[in-house]
Amino acid sequence: MLVFAASDKGGTGRSVTSANLAYQRALNGDHVAYVDFDFGSPTAAAVFDVPSAVRGTADRGLHSYLEGLTPDPAMIDVWRQTEHPQLHAWPNQSGRLVLFPGDLGGGEFATDEDALERCVDLLLRLNGEFDVIMVDLSAGRSYAVDMALAATAHPRMRNVPFRWLVFHRWTRQHVIAASGLVHREHGIIRGGVERGHDERALRAAVRFVRAAVPDPESALWSQGSPAQAAWMQSCDEALRRLAAEHAIGDSVVLGVVPLEPILQWREQLITEEDVLATQIANKETLEALEEIARRLTDDSYWGLP
């Protein structure tokens, strides 16, 4: 299954959350590919603690592959090449976790028919080799988003299941921006229909993930004044109304990731050791990531029978 990770703005937690989802699926036995299509900022390797590609790879990156400069893109076995202290050894019962990095330096580029065919070739190959393919797209209505829409509408891809996760923070600007990315004139839905997608099916394939969401009732905010608590509760209620008005309300939300202090300082994978041993991460964050990862393939959360 292809899972496209999109956001209208940067700083939404798209990359770090989708990397954590890929990690959770691999822990549970799936073979997972993480494809870095964030061409302007190919830094997914930093989340996986792979030092050789923190800014992308100097050899055979995805940009080079799509431009036809290399016949095969580089592959990084995360379990074997990570420097994350808890990921050195391939965990028992886990599946493969493979990163396909972007090019060092990056840069957005307009795609042509040849690049689209190479993209389709890659996605078909990965779909035959992996259980879940997480494709991290550049922010906004980017060339990467356009290419993903065109590729999934391609006749050769008609039998490949796909889903879209649209990430946003829990603020007015981010709610409005996420809705626009999906529903406005040049958004994912209309752009997909223009490329041959069935509108109803494409809408059913889109869900939203709210990231870095503060809980007004959590211990993290318990030291605030009563006035602050009341103000936060009022803001939360107003945002729920705004989200519903912009067609990204609770019924189309796949999950909510709480505000996690360590992720404000460092983009990283959240492990059980972070929660139970070192206690630097909150249990609620790990549980939220585990639940969203499970829901990726649970049809009941996607309006499917």
Side-chain angles (χ1 to χ4, degrees), residues 159-239:
N159 295 320
V160 178
F162 66 87
R163 288 173 179 177
W164 285 75
L165 294 183
V166 178
F167 294 82
H168 66 88
R169 295 175 69 91
W170 198 223
T171 73
R172 289 184 296 180
Q173 284 191 341
H174 281 268
V175 166
I176 293 169
S179 174
L181 176 63
V182 175
H183 297 300
R184 296 300 293 269
E185 181 178 355
H186 299 293
I188 289 171
I189 301 299
R190 295 190 187 181
V193 171
E194 289 171 359
R195 286 162 175 78
H197 282 279
D198 175 77
E199 180 174 350
R200 183 175 179 181
L202 184 56
R203 286 186 184 278
V206 177
R207 290 293 181 269
F208 295 83
V209 176
R210 298 172 183 167
V213 178
D215 180 359
E217 299 180 358
S218 71
L220 184 63
W221 306 103
S222 62
Q223 303 303 315
S225 69
Q228 287 175 322
W231 180 81
M232 288 185 65
Q233 190 68 50
S234 174
C235 284
D236 187 65
E237 292 170 358
L239 285 169

Side-chain angles (χ1 to χ4, degrees), residues 20-33 79 90-98 132 293:
N20 269 280
L21 298 180
Y23 167 65
Q24 288 297 329
R25 293 297 304 220
L27 277 184
N28 285 298
D30 285 330
H31 298 311
V32 181
W79 298 131
W90 191 332
N92 290 334
Q93 309 301 318
S94 66
R96 298 171 64 201
L97 180 57
V98 177
V132 176

Side-chain angles (χ1 to χ4, degrees), residues 22-100:
Y23 167 65
Q24 288 297 329
R25 293 297 304 220
L27 277 184
N28 285 298
D30 285 330
H31 298 311
V32 181
Y34 191 95
V35 181
D36 194 351
F37 270 13
D38 187 353
F39 300 122
S41 182
T43 56
V47 184
F48 294 106
D49 283 314
V50 177
S52 62
V54 291
R55 290 185 176 179
T57 179
D59 182 39
R60 297 187 298 120
L62 287 168
H63 193 150
S64 295
Y65 166 76
L66 292 170
E67 290 191 316
L69 302 177
T70 181
D72 293 296
M75 299 171 55
I76 295 174
D77 185 323
V78 173
W79 298 131
R80 291 188 170 89
Q81 298 192 37
T82 183
E83 291 190 348
H84 192 292
Q86 277 82 51
L87 273 65
H88 280 310
W90 191 332
N92 290 334
Q93 309 301 318
S94 66
R96 298 171 64 201
L97 180 57
V98 177
L99 168 65
F100 290 78

